[in-house]
Amino acid sequence: MLVAWNYRYRNSPMDHIDPRARFIFSFAILFAATTTWNPNILFAVFVIAITWYSLGRLTWKDTRFGWLMISIMLFTMIVINTIITGGGAGGVVPPGGQLVWPDGVSIFGRHLNIGLTVERLWFAVSQLMRILSISLVFIMIPYTMDSRAYGVTFSKLGLPDRLAYTMELSFRFIPTLARNFQVTLDAQRARGFELDAGKGNIIQKIRQVAPLLIPVTMNAIVSSEDIANAMDLRGFGQRKRTWLYELKFHWWDWAIIAFAVVMLAAVVLLAYHFDMRLFSVPNWWYGLFN
Amino acid sequence: MKDTYTTGKKKSIWSFGTKEVVYAAIGAALYAVVTWAFNIWQIPGAGNVGIRPAVVIPMFFGIAFGPIVGFITGFVGNILADMLSGYGFWIWWDLGNGIMGLIPGLFSAMVYKYNETKSIIWGELSVILGAGLGMGLAAISEMWVSGADINTVIFANFLPAFLTNIVWGLILLPILMIAYAAIVQRSGR
């Protein structure tokens, strides 16, 4: 089993931004997008997120699995719960409103009354902008951030050294454990073990998994004892740790952090001081349905 | 309360020394690899929730090595699994997975002979509480993030994740505990 990280160096602008600045910016977008339902603010945040995403120079081929997952989430949340059942709009969209099809619609000769309102449809658009803004900044992280940078980034962002090193160490173990997983799978297959996805109910699936999961887990625990002893012999944790992969702020990283802070502060100010926090529908949207 | 068959030492569930660093790193890497390997069992149409036999790994590492190891196994393991699968970085679901390992870790002080019926019952209880609180927190955070209402959160996010996780946890955790008891007994840990 070959484990391949999704990151590769593309010489994109994103490759030259410090990971700390990237995390700060990403969380600023998350908080800005979740502070308000105002359409103008959400649109501004959405445009900033698209611009940020474009800095990564990612292709559709690179990120299609991530977008597939997000599409499933968007379909469930927006199409089914907000548009069809109206559930997702509860609490944000006021009750009542203007029907999209006030006279009903005819489908296959049958007359149907559909309760979808113009307001709920706009809420779906707002929800789409909010979720996509957040998805755009977070989905790109695995594709554009070097796996060697995570430990040192979280350490420099204030995570205790031991925790940051745990993260670093877990990256190191992934290829080894993937190989062990494959070796165990091959050994069990040689004994007649079958692991066919999609066959059987959940109990049968669990029965299929146990002969694979148990030896892999126990093997990993037994081998970790030797690693811990080796680390102790080398004096692990006696002094503050240094990192092989070094991070360095440039002027543009400070500019990004400053932009993120100003953007978030502006959104909070507009939302709470100027009362632009609640859901509203622009007039031009009503015009489309008249 | 004895933590092994042989040492007679009291368990300190909050210690985080070299061994715990390695256990947490191994646990996180294992969780990531197994999740990635089983990602083909995604449930279509149920939020971003998949059937993941690997959820038992943070639960088991919590029970065996304490809450900090359990939390890191779930939290970091989920970040790594999403990185391997190309799903992005979803901190609220990572935290939920961390809690799914942390809660069984809180029960670890009461579990000292892993193959005893009483220990297994504590383990099973911790699976239900851990999956409930962990997936509950992650699902409720979707209300804040995507503006979904409580019904959407319960039926699209919480229930698919909670039910599948407890099924895997309730069945696989006792098997792992019994297997680990044999290792503990043999090596005198």
Side-chain angles (χ1 to χ4, degrees):
Chain A
M1 187 180 289
L2 191 64
V3 176
W5 297 107
N6 292 299
Y7 168 77
R8 69 185 162 83
Y9 184 75
R10 296 172 175 85
N11 198 21
S12 66
M14 196 57 73
D15 283 314
H16 301 285
I17 299 173
D18 188 286
R20 289 166 290 182
R22 295 185 51 188
F23 271 109
I24 290 167
F25 185 89
S26 302
F27 278 99
I29 288 280
L30 170 69
F31 287 113
T34 52
T35 298
T36 178
W37 282 107
N38 181 281
N40 298 324
I41 301 177
L42 278 180
F43 182 70
V45 172
F46 182 52
V47 170
I48 294 169
I50 290 176
T51 311
W52 181 253
Y53 185 79
S54 68
L55 296 178
R57 289 187 190 154
L58 292 167
T59 63
W60 166 248
K61 198 179 162 191
D62 288 331
T63 55
R64 64 185 188 276
F65 290 114
W67 286 116
L68 178 71
M69 187 203 73
I70 288 164
S71 306
I72 293 169
M73 183 179 76
L74 285 174
F75 183 80
T76 318
M77 289 208 165
I78 296 174
V79 178
I80 296 177
N81 291 291
T82 305
I83 295 180
I84 298 176
T85 68
V92 178
V93 182
Q98 181 186 325
L99 288 171
V100 175
W101 294 286
D103 303 323
V105 285
S106 289
I107 299 173
F108 301 119
R110 298 188 70 176
H111 186 78
L112 294 172
N113 286 318
I114 297 174
L116 179 64
T117 63
V118 174
E119 289 80 5
R120 251 168 49 199
L121 207 55
W122 179 253
F123 178 74
V125 174
S126 303
Q127 211 178 12
L128 195 69
M129 284 197 288
R130 180 191 267 208
I131 297 174
L132 282 179
S133 302
I134 298 165
S135 303
L136 282 163
V137 294
F138 282 104
I139 201 170
M140 67 188 303
I141 291 176
Y143 301 96
T144 54
M145 195 179 288
D146 193 336
S147 58
R148 290 173 301 167
Y150 283 83
V152 63
T153 302
F154 284 109
S155 170
K156 300 284 180 193
L157 284 172
L159 201 71
D161 253 8
R162 276 177 188 263
L163 293 183
Y165 184 71
T166 304
M167 198 163 191
E168 186 88 353
L169 200 59
S170 55
F171 278 93
R172 150 72 187 85
F173 285 137
I174 281 189
T176 312
L177 289 173
R179 195 191 60 215
N180 290 353
F181 187 88
Q182 185 65 56
V183 168
T184 309
L185 181 63
D186 291 343
Q188 297 291 50
R189 274 181 175 155
R191 295 179 176 93
F193 170 76
E194 275 186 55
L195 188 77
D196 293 324
K199 277 189 183 175
N201 58 30
I202 194 158
I203 303 294
Q204 286 165 321
K205 281 184 177 179
I206 295 171
R207 281 180 56 197
Q208 287 171 341
V209 168
L212 184 61
L213 196 63
I214 309 303
V216 171
T217 308
M218 292 306 133
N219 208 10
I221 290 171
V222 169
S223 63
S224 60
E225 192 93 343
D226 294 336
I227 298 164
N229 287 339
M231 283 166 63
D232 271 338
L233 282 171
R234 286 165 176 78
F236 173 76
Q238 299 301 310
R239 281 188 210 162
K240 182 139 181 72
R241 193 171 172 78
T242 55
W243 300 85
L244 195 62
Y245 189 90
E246 285 190 2
L247 299 178
K248 196 179 167 193
F249 270 129
H250 298 91
W251 67 264
W252 56 82
D253 298 313
W254 290 112
I256 287 166
I257 291 171
F259 178 81
V261 171
V262 170
M263 176 194 66
L264 184 58
V267 170
V268 171
L269 192 73
L270 287 170
Y272 290 96
H273 193 261
F274 292 96
D275 215 14
M276 293 171 76
R277 191 164 54 90
L278 298 177
F279 173 77
S280 62
V281 184
N283 287 330
W284 63 265
W285 183 254
Y286 282 111
L288 294 176
F289 297 91
N290 287 329
Chain B
M1 187 180 291
K2 294 176 180 179
D3 65 342
T4 71
Y5 287 93
T6 52
T7 61
K9 289 176 191 166
K10 276 198 169 183
K11 250 186 182 179
S12 165
I13 62 169
W14 297 106
S15 63
F16 195 65
T18 311
K19 276 187 182 174
E20 284 75 19
V21 167
V22 179
Y23 287 139
I26 288 256
L30 191 63
Y31 185 32
V33 166
V34 180
T35 302
W36 173 67
F38 283 99
N39 257 348
I40 43 174
W41 283 347
Q42 194 84 16
I43 308 172
N48 48 349
V49 177
I51 298 178
R52 302 169 86 165
V55 290
V56 72
I57 293 169
M59 295 165 178
F60 171 70
F61 274 72
I63 279 283
F65 308 116
I68 302 178
V69 173
F71 179 80
I72 296 173
T73 300
F75 178 73
V76 177
N78 202 54
I79 291 175
L80 296 177
D82 283 351
M83 284 177 67
L84 284 173
S85 310
Y87 286 170
F89 184 87
W90 308 99
I91 191 82
W92 47 99
W93 284 97
D94 301 328
L95 278 171
N97 276 271
I99 289 170
M100 216 161 54
L102 182 135
I103 302 291
L106 298 176
F107 284 76
S108 63
M110 291 178 273
V111 174
Y112 56 99
K113 282 186 178 177
Y114 295 93
N115 53 358
E116 267 189 354
T117 310
K118 198 172 79 177
S119 303
I120 290 171
I121 291 170
W122 282 124
E124 298 288 62
L125 185 64
S126 75
V127 164
I128 297 168
L129 283 176
L133 284 172
M135 293 302 96
L137 175 97
I140 282 173
S141 64
E142 287 291 348
M143 287 176 77
W144 165 63
V145 174
S146 49
D149 72 345
I150 191 73
N151 289 332
T152 308
V153 158
I154 290 172
F155 291 105
N157 294 113
F158 176 70
L159 282 180
F162 173 69
L163 293 176
T164 54
N165 287 359
I166 60 165
V167 169
W168 288 110
L170 289 175
I171 295 172
L172 291 176
L173 185 74
I175 304 173
L176 279 170
M177 286 173 75
I178 290 165
Y180 184 59
I183 289 178
V184 169
Q185 201 168 19
R186 200 169 48 203
S187 61
R189 282 162 212 245

